[in-house]
């Protein structure tokens, strides 16, 4: 079976790797390691299609060293045992392991001593954040290199290399089509190669134009693996855009999330934003958000975008205050630190000396509620924003009453 174009275009040297200029190039760390013929265990971390496997293979070829390739999910403990025995035979071996974050405990226990004594040099690859997903014992024995997303010009460079190569003979393609493929590839060079190859072989004259490509794929592709960082990065960007009152950013990330069709995650994040970021500055936002969520559930996609787009616009433009949840988090922090104290006797159950506020003017009477050791503690610090400005007036009035004799 013929290999796909993406494999045929794989670099044979670090010098041929596209992108990752922070790691590869003159006086850059990976290039210098190859130049000095020295390799350390490492983990290459980043999204699919940006060069993890290509870099690992390029290093192996540049150094011309013995290696074996395993996948932490597919290959068994027995496969790892065979690699270790081979490493012993040759007094060292490079193990390239894909999906290193899925390495189970049994395999970790076998691999760790070999990393410790230098019998095996590991090049691990993962799309998951290694600081969250990889066993600390493995992680501490490796240098972690984060690969950056490829830019559109990187994808274009890769496509032009493929077009000039012998792999697509007699191809006829213009710059507009190249740019379009790069755009819909969503920073994934492998996807760009695959789309170009399918377009090439789907014609009878090898003329690849926009019409041909759009018949194959007209929808922009962007990486959003729920088991990795990118999906949560989008949810984070969605919330931070609303928090920062950037309505355009908020609508952009909402559109990306809706494209994925995961309404439940959008709903949960919106509910949090209403109380964490908007809070007392506009307390009516909470019920409004829940009403919009119910409307979106009722109509479903694609119409759900209408109530969601409307409420997200209002959320972004609403005044913001985080005072309530910050105050509560501070109270929780005191509890966790053991900074509590006894409940004052006059507000305990059936206390005879409790003063019932409704029996007093303005339903207010001076009495201590916090424990003695915290009686001067102030958790809540109001802001002069939106509805909270009215609460601030009440708060300051009550504080003034407390200080009166």
């Amino acid at each position: 079976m013929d290999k796909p174009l993406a494999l045929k275009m794989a670099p044979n040297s670090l010098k041929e790797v596209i992108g990752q200029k922070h790691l590869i190039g003159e006086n850059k760390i990976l290039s210098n390691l190859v130049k000095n013929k020295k390799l350390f265990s490492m983990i290459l971390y980043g999204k699919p299609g940006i060069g993890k496997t290509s870099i690992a293979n390029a290093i192996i070829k540049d150094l011309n060293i013995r290696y074996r390739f395993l996948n932490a999910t597919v290959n068994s403990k027995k496969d790892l045992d065979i690699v270790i025995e081979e490493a012993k035979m040759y007094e060292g071996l490079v193990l390239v392991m894909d999906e290193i974050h899925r390495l189970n405990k049994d395999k970790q226990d076998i691999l760790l001593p070999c990393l410790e004594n230098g019998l095996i040099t590991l090049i691990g690859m993962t799309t998951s954040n290694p600081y969250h997903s990889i066993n600390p014992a493995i992680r501490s024995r490796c240098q972690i290199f984060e690969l950056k997303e490829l830019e559109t010009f990187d994808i274009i460079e890769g496509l032009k290399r493929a077009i000039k190569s012998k792999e697509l003979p007699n191809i006829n393609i213009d710059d507009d089509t190249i740019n379009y493929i790069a755009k819909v590839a969503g920073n994934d060079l492998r996807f760009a190669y695959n789309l170009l190859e399918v377009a090439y072989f789907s014609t009878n004259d090898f003329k690849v134009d926009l019409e041909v490509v759009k018949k194959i794929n007209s929808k922009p592709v962007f990486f959003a693996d729920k088991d990795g960082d990118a999906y949560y990065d989008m949810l984070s960007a969605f919330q931070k855009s609303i928090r920062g009152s950037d309505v355009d950013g908020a609508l952009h990330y909402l559109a990306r999330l809706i494209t994925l069709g995961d309404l439940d995650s959008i709903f949960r994040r919106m509910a949090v934003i209403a109380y964490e970021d908007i809070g007392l500055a506009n307390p009516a936002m909470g019920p409004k958000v829940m009403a919009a969520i119910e409307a979106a559930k009722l109509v479903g996609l694609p119409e759900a975008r209408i109530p969601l787009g409307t409420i997200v616009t209002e959320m972004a433009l609403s005044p913001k205050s985080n005072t309530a949840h910050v105050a509560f988090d501070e109270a929780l922090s005191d509890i966790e630190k053991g900074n509590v104290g006894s409940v004052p006797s006059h507000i305990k159950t059936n206390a005879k000396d409790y003063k019932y506020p409704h029996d007093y003017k303005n339903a207010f009477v001076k009495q201590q509620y916090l424990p003695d050791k915290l009686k001067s503690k102030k958790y809540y610090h109001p802001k002069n924003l939106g509805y909270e400005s009215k609460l601030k007036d009440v708060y300051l009035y009550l504080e003034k009453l407390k200080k009166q004799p």
Side-chain angles (χ1 to χ4, degrees):
M1 183 179 290
D2 194 27
K3 293 191 298 184
L5 178 64
L7 283 181
K8 293 177 181 177
M9 295 305 300
N12 292 308
S13 167
L14 279 182
K15 294 177 181 178
E16 297 177 5
V17 171
I18 291 174
Q20 312 312 326
K21 303 302 183 186
H22 62 299
L23 298 174
I24 299 168
E26 187 176 357
N27 288 326
K28 298 300 172 65
I29 184 167
L30 293 184
S31 297
N32 282 343
L33 289 177
V34 167
K35 179 181 177 182
N36 295 322
K37 300 188 183 302
K38 184 66 177 178
L39 187 61
F40 299 91
S41 289
M42 67 179 70
I43 293 171
L44 303 176
Y45 151 51
K47 298 175 183 178
I50 62 175
K52 297 184 297 297
T53 304
S54 294
I55 288 174
N57 288 332
I59 290 173
I60 295 297
K61 291 177 180 178
D62 278 337
L63 293 176
N64 192 27
I65 48 180
R66 189 177 298 275
Y67 78 101
R68 288 292 177 264
F69 185 97
L70 295 180
N71 183 298
T73 303
V74 175
N75 292 106
S76 65
K77 179 181 172 184
K78 183 178 179 180
D79 295 325
L80 184 56
D81 286 333
I82 292 172
V83 170
I84 292 172
E85 289 305 312
E86 187 174 351
K88 291 176 181 177
M89 184 185 308
Y90 292 102
E91 297 183 342
L93 189 73
V94 173
L95 172 60
V96 180
M97 181 171 286
D98 200 7
E99 299 193 72
I100 184 70
H101 63 284
R102 298 190 184 276
L103 193 68
N104 64 33
K105 189 176 185 304
D106 287 346
K107 296 174 189 173
Q108 290 172 20
D109 291 342
I110 296 172
L111 182 59
L112 279 171
C114 300
L115 296 180
E116 189 71 43
N117 61 28
L119 182 65
I120 283 182
T121 300
L122 174 69
I123 302 179
M125 299 173 293
T126 178
T127 57
S128 294
N129 189 328
Y131 295 102
H132 300 157
S133 62
I134 293 180
N135 180 291
I138 296 281
R139 198 173 64 229
S140 69
R141 290 163 173 81
C142 300
Q143 296 300 315
I144 296 175
F145 298 117
E146 181 178 2
L147 275 61
K148 305 298 184 183
E149 281 192 72
L150 297 179
E151 301 291 343
T152 301
F153 60 80
D154 293 320
I155 306 295
I156 291 172
E157 179 186 346
L159 290 170
K160 288 185 175 180
R161 283 191 194 179
I163 291 163
K164 292 176 181 178
S165 73
K166 62 180 181 179
E167 307 300 340
L168 303 173
N170 301 316
I171 186 172
N172 184 356
I173 186 171
D174 59 28
D175 286 342
D176 287 343
T177 306
I178 294 172
N179 292 339
Y180 179 81
I181 293 174
K183 182 178 178 182
V184 301
N187 308 110
D188 184 335
L189 183 57
R190 185 190 300 116
F191 180 90
Y193 283 145
N194 290 342
L195 180 53
L196 176 65
E197 186 174 26
V198 171
Y200 172 79
F201 284 107
S202 69
T203 67
N204 58 12
D205 58 359
F206 305 127
K207 182 179 180 180
V208 178
D209 57 23
L210 283 173
E211 183 179 356
V212 170
V213 176
K214 287 183 177 180
K215 284 180 181 178
I216 300 168
N217 190 299
S218 61
K219 185 177 181 180
V221 175
F222 56 91
F223 175 59
D225 180 2
K226 291 185 183 179
D227 294 325
D229 284 347
Y231 180 73
Y232 297 100
D233 285 345
M234 271 191 286
L235 285 169
S236 175
F238 176 55
Q239 179 166 3
K240 287 171 181 172
S241 295
I242 294 176
R243 179 186 296 151
S245 300
D246 189 319
V247 65
D248 299 306
L251 291 173
H252 171 78
Y253 291 111
L254 175 65
R256 288 174 68 166
L257 291 164
I258 284 180
T259 301
L260 294 175
D262 185 8
L263 291 179
D264 286 343
S265 292
I266 298 172
F267 296 159
R268 285 193 294 270
R269 192 57 65 109
M270 285 169 56
V272 169
I273 294 167
Y275 293 96
E276 178 182 352
D277 296 307
I278 295 172
L280 294 177
N282 187 0
M285 187 56 68
K288 282 186 175 183
V289 167
M290 297 313 297
I293 288 172
E294 289 304 314
K297 287 180 180 178
L298 179 65
V299 300
L301 289 170
E303 286 82 2
R305 75 189 190 283
I306 299 170
L308 293 180
T310 301
I311 195 65
V312 165
T313 299
E314 186 175 358
M315 292 171 77
L317 297 176
S318 171
K320 312 290 192 304
S321 175
N322 66 349
T323 55
H325 88 81
V326 167
F328 184 64
D329 284 348
E330 189 177 345
L332 280 177
S333 178
D334 272 344
I335 307 306
E336 291 167 358
K337 294 173 182 176
N339 192 17
V340 286
S342 299
V343 175
S345 60
H346 59 276
I347 59 171
K348 289 182 179 179
T349 306
N350 299 321
K352 293 181 179 180
D353 52 349
Y354 170 60
K355 296 177 183 178
Y356 187 57
H358 296 290
D359 290 340
Y360 296 84
K361 183 180 178 181
N362 297 323
F364 175 81
V365 59
K366 283 181 62 176
Q367 67 184 335
Q368 181 182 326
Y369 292 95
L370 281 169
D372 285 343
K373 66 185 298 185
L374 293 171
K375 64 182 180 180
S376 298
K377 184 79 175 186
K378 300 295 181 187
Y379 293 115
Y380 178 57
H381 302 282
K383 291 182 178 180
N384 196 30
L385 286 168
Y387 177 79
E388 191 173 11
S389 62
K390 297 179 181 179
L391 295 181
K392 181 179 180 180
D393 291 340
V394 175
Y395 176 82
L396 294 176
Y397 171 71
L398 294 173
E399 288 297 298
K400 182 179 179 180
L401 291 179
K402 291 177 186 178
K403 294 175 181 177
Q404 290 179 357

